[in-house]
Amino acid sequence: MHRKSDQILAVIALATLPMIASAQSTDASAAAPAPNLTGNVSVTTNYKFRGQDQDVLGRNDYAKTSWFKPAIQGGLDYVFGDSGFYVGNWNSSVNWLKGNSVEMDFYGGYKFKAGVLDLDVGVYQYYYPGNTAGNTTEIYGGASWTDEKIGTFAGKYSWTVSKDYFNYAGHQGGSGLDGQNTGYLNLSYSKEIFPKVTFKTAVGYTFLSSDIRSLGYKSFFDYNVGASYDFGSGLSLTGSIQGATEQSAFNLVANPGVEINGITYGQTTFSPNKPRFILMLTKTL
């Protein structure tokens, strides 16, 4: 029931975004909408976060192995004039925590210039309403540099300040362990290589806390390589290959097999870190 109700709420919330934008642009009698408010809605063939599938629970909670795990996503961002301060919300359908099917992210920060660099600092809250064991809070700092001929280089570091990191340590379940101080470093590059076509690539590294690593998980790299095509009017299509290293350290049981005389036969596993080709259609509002 939690999973179904969360899915309904997520679809309703995301579906209202284009209606909000339409109402703002067509209601001539209303006050002009604040230009600092923007929105986006996406559909994707698979949602990976830091190289890991976010839809993994299948029948009887065994891992899904399909490459096609569609998700609907969307959010709103508001910038406070020229102050540099901003807040936002982003949401996606997910399926990796029992009883939960929605990821709701809330964030706020401050952007400013420092010479040729654009800097960004803030706080990010990941919230899973159907199962709060996955809730995670990070603070972050980032910098980017853009040259019209060379492209855009960016770097960002996120540091976990909550007691757990996406339930890996099992802190809320009473494990006595925590995921605090887990860090994530991401480096990215993008460049328009043809009219309306932009090449994008990124690599990241997750530094898991010592408590999480004591459970057998390993710190890992993730990667993302692809390109996007701009159709105009805020509509774009992105194709990319995404995945992560240390696949075996995150294996999930996909088929339990059968046990005969204490020996298991036919068991298969699946790693959410497995690379996939992903298509995403996005509309900015």
Side-chain angles (χ1 to χ4, degrees), residues 34-220:
N36 299 324
L37 179 66
T38 58
N40 59 85
V41 177
S42 300
V43 288
T44 180
T45 58
N46 192 343
Y47 169 31
K48 275 186 176 287
F49 175 72
R50 297 175 181 172
Q52 298 184 309
D53 284 14
Q54 299 300 289
D55 182 357
V56 295
L57 295 181
R59 182 176 298 180
N60 297 322
D61 294 330
Y62 291 115
K64 291 181 179 179
T65 59
S66 171
W67 68 273
F68 184 64
K69 302 172 182 178
I72 181 170
Q73 306 172 333
L76 292 170
D77 293 277
Y78 184 82
V79 178
F80 294 89
D82 298 324
S83 69
F85 291 98
Y86 63 90
V87 293
N89 163 245
W90 185 85
N91 313 275
S92 179
S93 54
V94 294
N95 187 23
W96 61 271
L97 276 170
K98 292 183 67 173
N100 178 78
S101 60
V102 182
E103 174 187 330
M104 303 177 68
D105 301 346
F106 302 92
Y107 49 89
Y110 176 63
K111 294 182 179 181
F112 58 101
K113 295 282 292 186
V116 298
L117 296 178
D118 293 302
L119 303 181
D120 181 14
V121 293
V123 59
Y124 208 104
Q125 174 66 49
Y126 301 86
Y127 178 59
Y128 301 90
N131 187 338
T132 59
N135 290 0
T136 300
T137 306
E138 296 179 333
I139 57 175
Y140 60 84
S144 64
W145 175 80
T146 300
D147 181 88
E148 186 175 342
K149 294 183 179 180
I150 300 176
T152 298
F153 294 88
K156 183 177 181 180
Y157 184 76
S158 302
W159 178 44
T160 302
V161 294
S162 53
K163 284 295 185 179
D164 207 345
Y165 177 78
F166 301 104
N167 198 39
Y168 271 112
H171 180 82
Q172 188 168 303
S175 68
L177 306 175
D178 68 59
Q180 197 171 44
N181 296 323
T182 291
Y184 178 70
L185 175 65
N186 182 268
L187 303 174
S188 64
Y189 170 76
S190 63
K191 174 72 169 66
E192 186 176 46
I193 53 177
F194 299 108
K196 299 185 178 182
V197 178
T198 300
F199 170 75
K200 301 178 179 181
T201 186
V203 62
Y205 188 72
T206 299
F207 305 82
L208 294 174
S209 72
S210 58
D211 278 2
I212 292 176
R213 286 185 278 112
S214 73
L215 297 173
Y217 296 110
K218 296 181 179 180
S219 298
F220 62 95

Side-chain angles (χ1 to χ4, degrees), residues 188-272:
S188 64
Y189 170 76
S190 63
K191 174 72 169 66
E192 186 176 46
I193 53 177
F194 299 108
K196 299 185 178 182
V197 178
T198 300
F199 170 75
K200 301 178 179 181
T201 186
V203 62
Y205 188 72
T206 299
F207 305 82
L208 294 174
S209 72
S210 58
D211 278 2
I212 292 176
R213 286 185 278 112
S214 73
L215 297 173
Y217 296 110
K218 296 181 179 180
S219 298
F220 62 95
F221 286 96
D222 67 87
Y223 48 87
N224 184 333
V225 181
S228 65
Y229 182 83
D230 184 1
F231 293 99
S233 300
L235 185 67
S236 64
L237 179 66
T238 301
S240 61
I241 296 176
Q242 301 180 37
T245 61
E246 301 294 352
Q247 293 185 35
S248 61
F250 298 87
N251 275 345
L252 302 170
V253 176
N255 186 329
V258 295
E259 184 176 322
I260 301 176
N261 295 327
I263 300 176
T264 301
Y265 297 91
Q267 185 181 86
T268 60
T269 59
F270 170 77
S271 176

